[in-house]
Each structure stands twice: as structure tokens, then as C-alpha cells.
């Protein structure tokens, strides 16, 4: 028993480590970023509250019959609002001392006197307190899973006019009290629909698992529920690329977990070496890290040098030495990324096969040499696309057969390096030019980006910018209501006939 307990204690640290998978990509939203979201969100809340539908109000006091209908919100003043982080998984949005202006249609019957017209009303001291709970759904997408709301109206005033103004003033207590109750009862359901339906449709625009190009895709699923402190919201994403030929392939993450300490910018995005390694591993698995140059694509100066270098071999061959040359560059193992405070580099091992390609005959291999290169990588953001530009830093070739042949290849070192710089690197950078999208909702972009290297990961600090409003994006992706969402018949407008009162 005691031995089993000791064994469990020894295994516990490893079990905890195994259950906490390090993220390949991490995003932190700071209080400054939340302030920007609040500004855009407040406009969205105003638009939602303006669409509040209030039921008709009917009543009778003695010989007085009244009907209030066609209630419309004409103006909102939401000057005092706040949006805050609340540990562990919540956002708190509250509005204090707001005012809502209304206009509605009145109908009044008192004995044989009938009056119709409109009334302007104002709800003052409006208080709204909402708490949004953030969660991770089954697909690994960020969602608003629950919302609690409390709304109240401190005061309500109505202005009356017309022949029966004194009568309305007598009845104002009943009318205003009823309208205040109906209006306050509609605020929370409207905001609940806005949060759980409309804002979640906006979160659906965040890429979770999608294709980057015809060869690879990326998995941006959340590894765990969001972590919220009083000042930050942290999201841990898997950040793993996969080859489309084997979409279920998993690459184990042994990289350093990104740690974000900064809070000066609105948002920080961190990428570990695993993020880039999985991309290169996926391209390698897809079999696309091969480049072939033949005939006129081989630079003339290099072709002359290669023919001179391998003249003895070529002279002994049949067919003639005039056959076109073929250079086949093939990566032999998945490239590896190294991120240091001094910069980011990529190590690549490859084979370079040099062959003659006589017409209507099999290729004749002249030489097969091994190559080791180190590329410097410049990582930057443009819009929401993370891009990488590579440049050749170090280059070495050697023979796989003998040290003597490696010595003979020394004269090819400089021209082959030039070939890589002028011919191969532009092809590679053209492939990486498109980049990969960062998991942000549609309509939200980065500005003023700054890339900082650390040991094992890099961070991109940036500010946020709304290129599209929340309303514009939500309307684009608004869920289509089902037929059951509408009543089978709409209520008829209140009749002008006094007998209907």
C-alpha cells in the first residue's frame, strides 16, 4: 500500500506535465485591447437596444380605456459604460445611468370622447449589468457559453398633448409604470440574443482548422478554456500544421512554451519553434520540398562550370556531352527552426543530384552531393497574415562517397551558393509570400506590429484595428432563422375604432 502511494507520487509530476500540452501559438488581449473592443461593442449594443420590441399595453381605469402600441426606441445615451476582465473565465459589461427615449402611439376612450396620437417618453437611470462566460466548445473554438443579466429603470417620464392631456396625466402613473416594466423586461433578452447568437456567429469567423494551401493546413483549436486575470485574457492554441495527405497526423510538441509578460500593446501573439517546425514537417511529409532545374533554367555560367568539373565523367559517357543538365535539389529531412534573442534561423539538409538528360534516354547521374544550409528568417505580420522571408546565411556541400570528391567539389561552393541565392530562394519566398492567417475574427486587423525574439519563441506585439464594424460582420454571418422562429400570424395593428377599446 505504502509502496503504491510512493509510486503514485513519483508519477504525478509526469502525469501533470502530460496533461498540459504546450501551445504552439498563444494570444494575449490586454486591457488596452479590451477598451477598443468596448468602443465597438457599445455601438453594437446601442443598435441592438434600438431594435427592442415592446408589447402593446392595454388597460382600464373606471370609464377610461387606454391602448399603447407601436413602441419604438428613438434615442439612447449610454455614456457611462465599462467592460472588464473577471477571473477566471468572464467578461463583465455594465452600463450606468443611461437614458432611452421612446415614442409610441396612444388610443384613449373616456365615455364618448376618443383621442389618438403619439407620446414621447424617456427612461432615465437605466442600469444594465451583464456577465459573459467564455469557454471552449467541442471543436476547440472560443465561445460565449453563458450570460447573466440584470437590468432596471429608475425613472420614466412621458409627455402628453392633445384634447385629453389632463386625462392622460391622471393616467400617467398606470401607463408609465406599465411601460417601464415592459421595457426593462426586454433589455436582457435582447442582449442575451446578441451575445449567445450574434456574437457567437462572429466568433465562428475565427479560423480553427483550415487549409493554408493545396499542400498543408493548420489547426488553431484551443487547448483549454481561456485564462482571464484582472488585466489580461490568454488563449492557448494548438498551432500545429498538418499535411493534407494525412490530416490526422499529430506532431508531438517538445518546444518551449511561449511566455507573454508584456501588457503595453493591445494584443500579443506568441509562436514557438513548434509552430514553424510543424509547418516545415508538413511540407516535407507532403513531398513538395523538391526543386528541379533543367535545360535553360540552369544558369549558363553554372552549367559551364559543372561541365568543366565533371568533364572526365561526361567524356566517357554515351550519348554526347551536349545533353542538357538537370539539377535536382531535394530536402532529405524536415527542416528545423531555431529561435534565439539574436534572431530566427532555419537549418536545412538536402541532396543535390546533377545529371545529364539525353533525349529519349534515362537520365545519367554525374554526382550526388549533400548540402547543409542555414537560412535566416524574418518573421513579420501584414494585416492578419504571418509571413516569413528567408535569406541564405551559410552553405556547405560535400560528397557522400569520399573526402577526395568533397575536396574536388570545393570549387562549386561559391557558384552553387549563388544559384541558391538567385534562383532557389526567390522560389521558396514566393511560396511563403501568402503567409498564414492569425486566429482573429473577421473585420479585426493588427497595426503597429513589433516582433521580439526570445529563447525558443517569438512574440508579435500590436494594436488592434476594426476594418469592419461588428454589425457589418454579424449581418454577413447572421444565422438564418427557422420557420418556427416566426409566429404563424402577426398581431394586427390596434384598431382606430373606439368600439375595439
Amino acid at each position: 500500500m505504502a509502496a503504491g502511494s510512493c509510486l503514485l507520487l513519483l508519477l504525478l509530476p509526469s502525469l501533470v506535465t502530460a496533461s498540459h500540452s504546450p501551445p504552439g501559438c498563444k494570444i494575449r488581449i490586454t486591457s488596452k485591447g479590451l477598451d477598443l473592443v468596448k468602443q465597438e461593442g457599445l455601438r453594437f449594443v446601442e443598435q441592438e437596444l434600438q431594435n427592442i420590441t415592446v408589447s402593446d399595453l392595454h388597460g382600464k381605469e373606471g370609464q377610461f380605456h387606454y391602448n399603447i402600441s407601436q413602441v419604438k426606441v428613438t434615442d439612447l445615451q449610454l455614456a457611462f459604460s465599462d467592460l472588464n476582465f473577471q477571473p477566471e473565465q468572464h467578461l463583465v459589461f455594465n452600463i450606468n445611468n443611461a437614458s432611452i427615449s421612446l415614442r409610441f402611439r396612444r388610443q384613449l376612450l373616456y365615455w364618448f370622447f376618443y383621442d389618438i396620437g403619439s407620446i414621447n417618453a424617456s427612461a432615465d437611470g437605466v442600469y444594465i449589468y451583464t456577465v459573459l462566460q467564455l469557454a471552449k466548445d467541442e471543436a476547440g473554438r472560443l465561445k460565449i457559453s453563458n450570460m447573466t443579466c440584470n437590468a432596471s429603470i429608475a425613472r420614466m417620464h412621458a409627455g402628453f398633448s392633445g384634447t385629453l392631456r389632463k386625462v392622460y396625466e391622471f393616467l400617467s402613473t398606470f401607463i408609465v409604470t406599465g411601460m417601464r416594466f415592459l421595457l426593462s423586461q426586454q433589455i436582457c433578452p435582447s442582449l442575451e440574443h446578441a451575445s449567445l447568437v450574434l456574437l457567437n456567429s462572429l466568433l465562428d469567423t475565427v479560423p480553427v482548422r483550415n487549409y493554408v494551401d493545396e499542400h498543408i493546413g493548420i489547426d488553431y483549436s484551443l487547448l483549454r478554456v481561456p485564462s482571464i486575470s484582472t488585466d489580461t485574457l490568454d488563449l492557448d492554441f494548438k498551432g500545429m500544421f498538418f499535411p493534407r495527405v494525412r490530416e490526422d497526423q499529430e506532431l508531438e510538441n517538445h518546444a518551449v512554451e511561449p511566455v507573454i509578460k508584456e501588457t503595453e500593446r493591445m494584443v500579443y501573439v506568441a509562436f514557438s519553434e513548434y509552430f514553424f517546425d510543424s509547418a516545415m514537417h508538413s511540407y516535407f511529409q507532403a513531398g513538395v520540398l523538391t526543386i528541379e532545374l533543367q535545360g535553360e533554367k540552369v544558369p549558363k555560367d553554372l552549367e559551364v562550370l559543372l561541365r568543366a568539373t565533371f568533364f572526365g565523367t561526361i567524356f566517357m559517357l554515351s550519348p554526347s556531352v551536349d545533353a542538357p543538365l538537370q539539377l535536382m535539389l531535394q530536402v532529405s529531412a524536415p527542416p528545423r527552426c531555431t529561435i534565439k534573442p539574436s534572431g530566427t534561423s532555419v537549418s536545412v539538409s538536402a541532396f543535390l543530384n546533377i545529371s545529364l538528360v539525353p533525349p529519349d534516354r534515362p537520365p545519367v547521374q554525374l554526382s550526388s552531393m549533400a548540402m547543409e544550409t542555414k537560412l535566416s528568417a524574418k518573421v513579420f505580420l501584414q494585416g492578419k497574415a504571418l509571413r516569413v522571408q528567408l535569406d541564405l546565411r551559410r552553405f556547405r556541400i560535400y560528397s557522400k562517397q569520399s573526402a577526395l570528391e568533397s575536396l574536388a567539389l570545393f570549387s562549386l561552393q561559391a557558384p552553387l551558393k549563388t544559384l541558391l541565392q538567385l534562383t532557389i530562394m526567390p522560389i521558396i519566398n514566393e511560396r511563403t509570400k501568402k503567409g498564414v492567417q492569425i486566429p482573429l475574427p473577421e473585420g479585426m486587423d493588427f497595426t503597429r506590429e513589433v516582433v521580439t525574439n526570445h529563447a525558443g519563441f517569438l512574440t508579435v506585439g500590436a494594436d488592434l484595428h476594426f476594418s469592419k464594424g461588428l454589425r457589418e460582420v454579424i449581418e454577413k454571418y447572421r444565422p438564418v432563422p427557422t420557420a418556427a422562429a416566426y409566429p404563424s400570424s402577426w398581431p394586427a395593428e390596434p384598431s382606430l375604432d373606439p368600439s375595439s377599446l
Side-chain angles (χ1 to χ4, degrees):
M1 181 73 177
S5 301
C6 292
L7 180 61
L8 180 60
L9 290 174
L10 290 173
L11 291 176
L12 187 58
S14 62
L15 292 175
V16 172
T17 303
S19 64
H20 183 84
S21 301
C25 172
K26 189 169 190 172
I27 291 183
R28 163 169 288 183
I29 299 176
T30 67
S31 296
K32 292 182 180 180
L34 197 63
D35 287 340
L36 178 68
V37 174
K38 184 194 78 172
Q39 296 172 18
E40 186 63 28
L42 193 60
R43 284 192 287 268
F44 173 68
V45 169
E46 289 177 348
Q47 294 165 348
E48 285 299 303
L49 293 181
Q50 285 177 343
N51 295 325
I52 284 180
T53 301
V54 180
S55 304
D56 295 350
L57 179 64
H58 307 275
K60 177 183 178 182
E61 291 296 327
Q63 297 301 319
F64 294 99
H65 300 256
Y66 58 90
N67 183 6
I68 302 301
S69 61
Q70 299 179 11
V71 182
K72 293 184 179 179
V73 177
T74 58
D75 186 44
L76 291 101
Q77 297 294 328
L78 309 180
F80 303 100
S81 62
D82 208 357
L83 179 64
N84 294 306
F85 296 120
Q86 185 185 77
E88 300 274 333
Q89 298 167 234
H90 300 90
L91 294 177
V92 176
F93 179 65
N94 61 73
I95 297 174
N96 292 299
N97 201 27
S99 64
I100 303 177
S101 299
L102 305 170
R103 186 178 180 85
F104 46 88
R105 185 170 177 265
R106 73 174 188 262
Q107 291 175 289
L108 176 68
L109 177 65
Y110 176 61
W111 291 101
F112 299 105
F113 296 97
Y114 178 64
D115 183 48
I116 62 173
S118 61
I119 300 176
N120 294 321
S122 174
D124 299 321
V126 179
Y127 170 79
I128 305 173
Y129 183 84
T130 58
V131 179
L132 305 178
Q133 182 175 359
L134 301 181
K136 175 180 78 75
D137 67 8
E138 294 181 357
R141 190 185 299 275
L142 178 66
K143 286 290 185 179
I144 301 173
S145 62
N146 191 27
M147 171 187 169
T148 57
C149 176
N150 183 24
S152 62
I153 299 174
R155 301 170 302 279
M156 191 160 188
H157 307 282
F160 302 98
S161 61
T163 56
L164 298 181
R165 180 172 59 85
K166 293 296 183 182
V167 176
Y168 271 106
E169 289 177 352
F170 172 75
L171 295 173
S172 64
T173 302
F174 305 102
I175 296 174
V176 169
T177 301
M179 286 302 302
R180 184 174 67 177
F181 174 78
L182 292 175
L183 180 60
S184 62
Q185 290 298 304
Q186 293 300 316
I187 291 176
C188 283
S190 176
L191 295 182
E192 183 175 354
H193 177 265
S195 300
L196 300 182
V197 178
L198 301 183
L199 288 182
N200 274 334
S201 70
L202 174 70
L203 293 176
D204 285 339
T205 66
V206 177
V208 172
R209 187 177 176 90
N210 63 325
Y211 295 140
V212 177
D213 53 30
E214 64 271 24
H215 306 296
I216 68 171
I218 187 168
D219 188 338
Y220 272 133
S221 58
L222 282 171
L223 293 175
R224 53 194 63 91
V225 297
S227 175
I228 298 181
S229 70
T230 55
D231 299 314
T232 60
L233 164 64
D234 288 341
L235 302 168
D236 289 348
F237 296 94
K238 192 171 187 178
M240 184 198 76
F241 292 84
F242 56 87
R244 293 181 60 170
V245 293
R246 294 179 58 190
E247 294 194 12
D248 58 343
Q249 177 176 287
E250 291 281 339
L251 182 63
E252 194 170 351
N253 187 353
H254 299 289
V256 174
E257 179 172 351
V259 177
I260 304 176
K261 298 181 179 179
E262 300 88 350
T263 58
E264 291 77 16
R265 294 296 189 96
M266 293 183 181
V267 64
Y268 290 88
V269 188
F271 304 94
S272 74
E273 293 174 344
Y274 172 80
F275 180 86
F276 301 100
D277 283 346
S278 66
M280 294 181 289
H281 187 274
S282 298
Y283 275 123
F284 181 78
Q285 291 290 321
V288 296
L289 298 185
T290 301
I291 297 177
E292 178 183 314
L293 300 177
Q294 182 174 322
E296 295 180 354
K297 293 184 178 180
V298 180
K300 270 296 179 188
D301 294 343
L302 179 62
E303 181 180 2
V304 171
L305 181 61
L306 289 175
R307 288 183 180 275
T309 302
F310 299 104
F311 182 80
T313 307
I314 296 173
F315 186 77
M316 298 297 295
L317 293 173
S318 180
S320 68
V321 295
D322 292 331
L325 276 177
Q326 179 192 72
L327 305 183
M328 178 75 74
L329 180 62
Q330 183 175 9
V331 174
S332 56
R336 296 299 302 271
C337 173
T338 302
I339 302 176
K340 296 180 179 179
S342 57
T344 302
S345 62
V346 178
S347 300
V348 184
S349 297
F351 295 136
L352 177 62
N353 296 324
I354 303 175
S355 305
L356 284 175
V357 188
D360 303 323
R361 284 174 170 259
V364 179
Q365 183 171 301
L366 302 179
S367 179
S368 178
M369 61 188 75
M371 297 176 52
E372 291 182 357
T373 62
K374 180 164 284 191
L375 311 175
S376 61
K378 179 184 178 183
V379 181
F380 60 97
L381 274 178
Q382 189 168 4
K384 271 190 299 193
L386 181 73
R387 299 182 177 181
V388 179
Q389 184 173 1
L390 299 170
D391 190 24
L392 183 61
R393 182 191 299 176
R394 277 186 278 174
F395 171 77
R396 184 173 77 92
I397 58 172
Y398 58 92
S399 172
K400 296 184 295 181
Q401 280 78 30
S402 67
L404 185 60
E405 188 174 357
S406 296
L407 184 62
L409 294 175
F410 184 78
S411 61
L412 294 177
Q413 187 92 11
L416 285 178
K417 184 177 182 179
T418 302
L419 170 70
L420 289 175
Q421 289 175 324
L422 299 181
T423 306
I424 306 300
M425 295 309 300
I427 296 175
I428 296 175
N429 283 324
E430 184 64 28
R431 291 182 179 179
T432 62
K433 184 178 180 180
K434 180 181 178 182
V436 60
Q437 184 178 352
I438 304 302
L440 280 183
E442 183 176 335
M444 187 180 292
D445 293 322
F446 295 105
T447 61
R448 300 175 60 234
E449 307 91 347
V450 175
V451 178
T452 305
N453 280 43
H454 305 272
F457 65 96
L458 59 85
T459 60
V460 182
D463 289 336
L464 292 172
H465 165 70
F466 280 95
S467 58
K468 297 179 182 178
L470 289 180
R471 172 64 55 185
E472 181 182 354
V473 179
I474 287 173
E475 288 298 330
K476 179 179 178 181
Y477 295 98
R478 178 187 288 269
V480 179
T482 60
Y486 297 99
S488 56
S489 61
W490 295 99
E493 291 190 6
S495 172
L496 298 180
D497 185 0
S499 62
S500 64
L501 290 173

